[in-house]
Amino acid sequence: MNWKDLSYLLDGSPVQIEVHNLLRNYFLFEKLRPYSPILVGTVPIGINVAGSDLDLICEVTDFNAFEAEMFAAFKQEQHFTIVRRVVAGLERIKVNFTLERWPIEIFAQSIRTTEQNGYRHMVVEARLLALFGHAFRAEIIQLKENGFKTEPAFAKALKLEGDPYLKLLELADWTNEQLLALNVAD
């Protein structure tokens, strides 16, 4: 799957088609193109629930320039905020605003987008959904509707112990055969 090419959304659910059109109509990927944007999270893999947002990740080296560009591009949007922090020695910036009915979060750090945790989580989650089928997908969606965040929902459904975010990163390097060996039956 080429997650960088948003055309996959056009073959998806009505929500995925809506998101594709929203991103296209507001030129989000054009505005973010210099930063290798990727849409990650629940919408691309079809497990979004009411209240889900759109998460876009970017690779940034000049945080001051990126912040200035984001301010110029999105300051007029509802609920606009920018937060810069250093976490575990890495600078990151988070830009939030709302377009139509969708909360948007642009997350940027100086790591290639395909190596960021949000991307790696989504890719392994997509593999797990494909491997374990409809009942597993329904369980994840049910857990999310009951208030679980995405990674904790997967950890619960897979009966993984420990930090769900770290556990899913470990699974990202597993083969499909290893993943299939997980016991997801009750």
Side-chain angles (χ1 to χ4, degrees):
M1 170 65 99
N2 180 5
W3 298 105
K4 295 178 183 181
D5 178 1
L6 292 176
S7 64
Y8 72 89
L9 293 169
L10 292 172
D11 294 326
S13 70
V15 167
Q16 289 171 319
I17 294 167
E18 174 191 344
V19 166
H20 176 275
N21 293 336
L22 177 92
L23 296 173
R24 186 191 66 214
N25 293 342
Y26 286 91
F27 304 100
L28 259 69
F29 273 66
E30 289 76 9
K31 292 173 183 175
L32 298 171
R33 182 162 284 120
Y35 305 105
S36 304
I38 301 177
L39 177 66
V40 298
T42 60
V43 170
I45 59 176
I47 58 168
N48 51 288
V49 297
S52 290
D53 64 357
L54 300 180
D55 297 304
L56 294 96
I57 58 172
C58 295
E59 176 186 0
V60 172
T61 53
D62 184 340
F63 285 85
N64 291 329
F66 182 78
E67 183 174 10
E69 284 181 47
M70 295 302 100
F71 187 81
F74 304 115
K75 69 181 179 216
Q76 75 284 355
E77 304 301 343
Q78 288 186 328
H79 310 113
F80 176 80
T81 61
I82 295 180
V83 176
R84 282 174 72 170
R85 298 178 26 194
V86 175
V87 176
L90 282 173
E91 186 166 13
R92 55 178 60 183
I93 189 166
K94 189 173 69 157
V95 181
N96 292 88
F97 53 91
T98 302
L99 293 176
E100 297 179 14
R101 70 178 185 100
W102 286 98
I104 308 290
E105 179 172 296
I106 300 171
F107 176 85
Q109 58 187 163
S110 61
I111 297 174
R112 290 181 59 195
T113 49
T114 56
E115 295 174 10
Q116 290 184 26
N117 289 350
Y119 178 81
R120 294 183 66 220
H121 283 152
M122 180 185 70
V123 170
V124 74
E125 290 160 1
R127 288 176 57 211
L128 290 162
L129 291 166
L131 289 170
F132 292 119
H134 180 73
F136 182 74
R137 176 182 299 276
E139 181 180 1
I140 297 297
I141 291 170
Q142 183 64 52
L143 288 167
K144 290 185 60 53
E145 287 174 343
N146 289 338
F148 278 78
K149 292 282 207 183
T150 303
E151 287 75 11
F154 274 87
K156 181 167 179 59
L158 296 169
K159 299 171 184 63
L160 300 175
E161 300 293 326
D163 182 322
Y165 298 90
L166 295 177
K167 288 296 181 181
L168 280 171
L169 289 177
E170 289 173 19
L171 296 184
D173 296 326
W174 287 23
T175 65
N176 285 350
E177 292 74 24
Q178 289 172 305
L179 293 173
L180 283 167
L182 288 168
N183 181 8
V184 297
D186 286 333

